[in-house]
Coordinates of all heavy atoms in Angstrom, one line a residue:
L55 N -47.3 16.4 10.4 CA -45.9 16.6 10.8 C -45.4 17.8 10.1 O -45.9 18.2 9.0 CB -45.0 15.4 10.4 CG -45.3 14.1 11.0 CD1 -44.4 13.0 10.4 CD2 -45.1 14.1 12.5
C56 N -44.4 18.5 10.6 CA -43.7 19.6 10.0 C -42.3 19.2 9.7 O -41.6 18.8 10.5 CB -43.8 20.8 10.9 SG -45.5 21.3 11.2
G57 N -41.9 19.4 8.4 CA -40.5 19.1 8.0 C -39.8 20.3 7.6 O -40.3 21.4 7.5
T58 N -38.5 20.2 7.3 CA -37.7 21.3 6.9 C -36.7 20.9 5.8 O -36.1 19.8 6.0 CB -37.0 22.0 8.0 OG1 -36.2 23.0 7.5 CG2 -36.2 21.1 8.9
S59 N -36.5 21.7 4.8 CA -35.5 21.3 3.8 C -34.4 22.3 3.7 O -33.5 22.1 2.9 CB -36.2 21.2 2.4 OG -36.8 22.4 2.0
S60 N -34.4 23.4 4.4 CA -33.3 24.3 4.4 C -33.2 24.9 5.8 O -34.0 24.7 6.7 CB -33.4 25.4 3.4 OG -34.0 26.6 3.9
L61 N -32.2 25.7 6.1 CA -31.9 26.3 7.4 C -32.3 27.7 7.6 O -32.7 28.1 8.7 CB -30.4 26.2 7.7 CG -29.9 24.7 7.9 CD1 -28.4 24.8 8.2 CD2 -30.6 24.0 9.0
L62 N -32.3 28.5 6.5 CA -32.4 30.0 6.7 C -33.5 30.6 5.9 O -33.5 31.8 5.6 CB -31.1 30.6 6.4 CG -30.0 30.2 7.4 CD1 -28.6 30.7 6.9 CD2 -30.3 30.6 8.8
A63 N -34.5 29.9 5.4 CA -35.6 30.5 4.6 C -36.4 31.4 5.5 O -36.4 31.4 6.7 CB -36.4 29.4 4.0
D64 N -37.3 32.2 4.8 CA -38.0 33.3 5.5 C -39.5 33.0 5.7 O -40.3 33.9 6.0 CB -37.9 34.5 4.6 CG -38.3 35.8 5.4 OD1 -38.1 35.8 6.6 OD2 -39.0 36.6 4.8
D65 N -40.0 31.8 5.4 CA -41.4 31.5 5.7 C -41.6 30.1 6.2 O -40.7 29.2 6.0 CB -42.2 31.7 4.4 CG -42.0 30.6 3.4 OD1 -40.8 30.1 3.3 OD2 -42.9 30.1 2.8
S66 N -42.7 29.9 6.9 CA -42.9 28.6 7.4 C -44.4 28.5 7.9 O -45.0 29.5 8.3 CB -42.0 28.3 8.6 OG -42.3 27.1 9.2
E67 N -44.9 27.2 8.0 CA -46.2 27.0 8.6 C -46.1 26.8 10.1 O -46.9 27.2 10.9 CB -46.9 25.8 7.9 CG -48.2 25.5 8.5 CD -48.9 24.4 7.8 OE1 -48.6 24.1 6.6 OE2 -49.8 23.8 8.3
A68 N -45.1 26.0 10.4 CA -44.8 25.7 11.8 C -43.3 25.6 12.1 O -42.7 24.6 12.1 CB -45.5 24.4 12.2
P69 N -42.7 26.8 12.2 CA -41.2 26.9 12.3 C -40.7 26.2 13.5 O -41.3 26.3 14.6 CB -40.9 28.4 12.3 CG -42.2 29.0 12.8 CD -43.3 28.1 12.2
A70 N -39.6 25.5 13.4 CA -39.1 24.7 14.5 C -38.7 25.6 15.7 O -38.9 25.2 16.8 CB -37.8 24.0 14.0
K71 N -38.2 26.8 15.4 CA -37.9 27.7 16.5 C -39.1 28.2 17.3 O -38.9 28.6 18.5 CB -37.1 28.9 16.0 CG -37.9 29.9 15.2 CD -37.0 31.1 14.8 CE -37.9 32.1 14.0 NZ -37.0 33.3 13.6
S72 N -40.3 28.0 16.7 CA -41.5 28.4 17.5 C -42.2 27.2 18.1 O -42.9 27.3 19.1 CB -42.5 29.1 16.5 OG -41.9 30.3 16.0
Y73 N -42.0 26.0 17.5 CA -42.9 24.9 17.9 C -42.1 23.7 18.4 O -42.7 22.7 18.9 CB -43.8 24.4 16.8 CG -44.8 25.4 16.4 CD1 -44.7 26.3 15.4 CD2 -46.0 25.5 17.2 CE1 -45.7 27.2 15.0 CE2 -47.0 26.4 16.9 CZ -46.8 27.3 15.8 OH -47.8 28.2 15.5

Side-chain angles (χ1 to χ4, degrees):
L55 296 175
C56 300
T58 174
S59 59
S60 98
L61 293 178
L62 297 172
D64 191 38
D65 73 320
S66 176
E67 176 176 342
K71 68 179 184 180
S72 298
Y73 291 100

